[in-house]
Amino acid sequence: EGCDQGWISSCQENTSCPDIAIMSQPGLLAELAQEGALVDLSTFINSTVLNANYTAEWINLGKVDGTLYGVWFNASNKSLVWYDPGEFSSHAWTSPTTWTQMISLSETISNTTSTPPWSVGNRSGTATGWPLTDWFENILLRSAGPDLFDDLISQDISWTHTEVISATIYFGEIFGNESYQLGGKSGTLETHFIDAMYPPFEVPPGAYLHHQGSFTSNFLQGQFPTQVPGTDYAVFSFPDIKPTYTNACMGSGDVAMVFHDTIEAQKFIDYLITTDAAEMWITAGGISPNRNLDTNLYTEPNLKYAADKVANADIFRFDLTDQLPGSLNLYVWSQMDDLVQAAPDQEAMVEVLARIELMASDPYTVFLPNVIR
């Protein structure tokens, strides 16, 4: 059973948890483990199979204070840009590999087609804000590096650290420019993230680029059943920013955790970590972090590309905000609209970061209403 933070709160309050639950946030996993709500999987899990099929990085992602409480069976590459190869070919555009090239391409598209280069959507119901945090986190990972990325999660640096502020400068190059966004800033802030996937692949295109995770493929296949993956829609990796941090990838996934130590729950977890389960998952359209599966089973070329980047990145990090405590995660999401509205004004953007830092350092702070609208 999948669960979000509201479900988790309900579960904690009335003890009506199922035997097994699935969620996507390491931060919430840690909170539940620290509260004693989860079963230590190492008491029954087949460690030989686990260690053979998963890298230490993915195994450790399921640990809290050294104890295994979750197994990550599903992965998503969140460092992809989607585009139409046919449109690129007809305009003689090439896929950018650096941030400078991507900004140059955005400017070229804006000036020569009278069409905004980017289709972005930040709406996602109660989770509104996460699509824009993906932008910011990808920028931070490539501009400040993985160590600082980790330090922000652990609060060893502040949200007003110079490198975090510098990341907003890059962020502002896209989101401070109304002409780069379909519908301008209001289009980005008022469009649902699913609806934003489609304009680059419509006829005529409403935009030419869309940054989103590997799960986008499933939506595009449903929306455009006659289009061919890899031919009518393809991906390139989010571009490098600093040469020191090349071939980086940010991802997310789903973790299975156990509330009640039943025989059925034990058997399910032990099956979930097998290669058979992983191959069944990817034939259904998912990506698995299992390193021993048959990659030829990825029949969708974009998913195969995405999975290869997850497996072979020189720098891989899990989504930053998903690793934060639940309340802070939600608060960072809530500030993304204001960060777009502030861009490219550095002073105004730093004010947004300062609010996040107040929340991170003192979650009981009473905030004044946000004024950047």
Side-chain angles (χ1 to χ4, degrees):
E1 180 177 343
C3 53
D4 57 18
Q5 187 167 359
W7 182 92
I8 288 291
S9 299
S10 174
C11 170
Q12 290 169 291
E13 290 170 4
N14 61 33
T15 66
S16 62
C17 306
D19 291 349
I20 294 170
I22 293 168
M23 66 176 181
S24 60
Q25 296 178 1
L28 283 177
L29 177 73
E31 289 184 61
L32 288 168
Q34 290 162 353
E35 291 173 5
L38 302 180
V39 172
D40 176 0
L41 304 186
S42 65
T43 60
F44 66 81
I45 202 167
N46 188 327
S47 58
T48 301
V49 173
L50 181 68
N51 290 321
N53 289 339
Y54 292 86
T55 64
E57 187 169 45
W58 280 101
I59 294 172
N60 290 337
L61 198 59
K63 291 182 178 180
V64 179
D65 297 328
T67 301
L68 184 68
Y69 290 107
V71 291
W72 292 85
F73 68 95
N74 174 44
S76 177
N77 184 327
K78 303 185 83 174
S79 294
L80 300 173
V81 177
W82 296 79
Y83 72 104
D84 180 344
E87 290 290 345
F88 267 49
S89 178
S90 67
H91 290 90
W93 299 331
T94 57
S95 301
T97 59
T98 69
W99 180 266
T100 299
Q101 290 173 357
M102 192 171 77
I103 294 299
S104 178
L105 174 62
S106 299
E107 185 68 11
T108 296
I109 292 174
S110 179
N111 290 340
T112 62
T113 69
S114 299
T115 300
W118 293 94
S119 176
V120 186
N122 195 42
R123 295 289 79 139
S124 185
T126 57
T128 289
W130 72 258
L132 286 174
T133 65
D134 281 5
W135 270 93
F136 185 77
E137 292 160 21
N138 269 294
I139 290 170
L140 184 69
L141 182 61
R142 289 161 177 78
S143 62
D147 292 341
L148 187 137
F149 190 95
D150 295 341
D151 288 344
L152 189 58
I153 295 168
S154 61
Q155 294 184 247
D156 288 331
I157 63 166
S158 75
W159 282 82
T160 52
H161 187 280
T162 54
E163 291 286 358
V164 182
I165 292 173
S166 293
T168 66
I169 298 174
Y170 295 105
F171 184 90
E173 288 188 74
I174 296 290
F175 295 102
N177 192 322
E178 297 273 1
S179 65
Y180 281 4
Q181 305 161 74
L182 180 58
K185 289 185 178 183
S186 61
T188 289
L189 301 182
E190 295 170 9
T191 301
H192 194 276
F193 80 96
I194 295 176
D195 295 331
M197 298 176 183
Y198 305 139
F201 311 104
E202 295 171 344
V203 180
Y208 291 96
L209 298 163
H210 177 68
H211 165 46
Q212 192 56 271
S214 49
F215 49 82
T216 299
S217 177
N218 294 328
F219 290 99
L220 295 181
Q221 289 180 64
Q223 184 75 4
F224 306 108
T226 62
Q227 293 192 15
V228 179
T231 299
D232 297 310
Y233 51 90
V235 292
F236 59 84
S237 291
F238 199 95
D240 296 334
I241 296 179
K242 291 186 178 178
T244 310
Y245 311 120
T246 60
N247 192 28
C249 179
M250 189 184 77
S252 64
D254 293 301
V255 61
M257 55 190 179
V258 176
F259 286 100
H260 302 129
D261 193 6
T262 64
I263 294 297
E264 293 80 6
Q266 292 179 13
K267 289 183 176 179
F268 179 79
I269 292 296
D270 271 337
Y271 175 70
L272 201 60
I273 63 175
T274 65
T275 300
D276 285 346
E279 291 181 345
M280 182 181 295
W281 178 247
I282 66 173
T283 56
I287 289 179
S288 171
N290 187 306
R291 58 182 171 178
N292 289 319
L293 57 81
D294 181 2
T295 58
N296 291 322
L297 293 174
Y298 287 109
T299 56
E300 208 279 44
N302 296 311
L303 291 183
K304 188 170 185 177
Y305 176 95
D308 177 72
K309 291 297 181 181
V310 167
N312 297 302
D314 292 326
I315 299 170
F316 179 82
R317 285 296 184 272
F318 199 93
D319 183 293
L320 187 153
T321 51
D322 282 349
Q323 298 187 68
L324 300 176
S327 58
L328 180 57
N329 180 18
L330 290 173
Y331 188 75
V332 176
W333 287 354
S334 77
Q335 297 303 294
M336 289 298 103
D337 280 9
D338 278 4
L339 194 64
V340 169
Q341 294 284 32
D345 184 331
Q346 269 295 286
E347 183 177 351
M349 296 176 84
V350 171
E351 288 179 9
V352 178
L353 294 180
R355 287 204 298 269
I356 296 175
E357 177 56 26
L358 278 174
M359 180 64 176
S361 59
D362 183 3
Y364 302 104
T365 300
V366 177
F367 290 94
L368 294 173
N370 297 346
V371 295
I372 303 173
R373 290 295 181 213

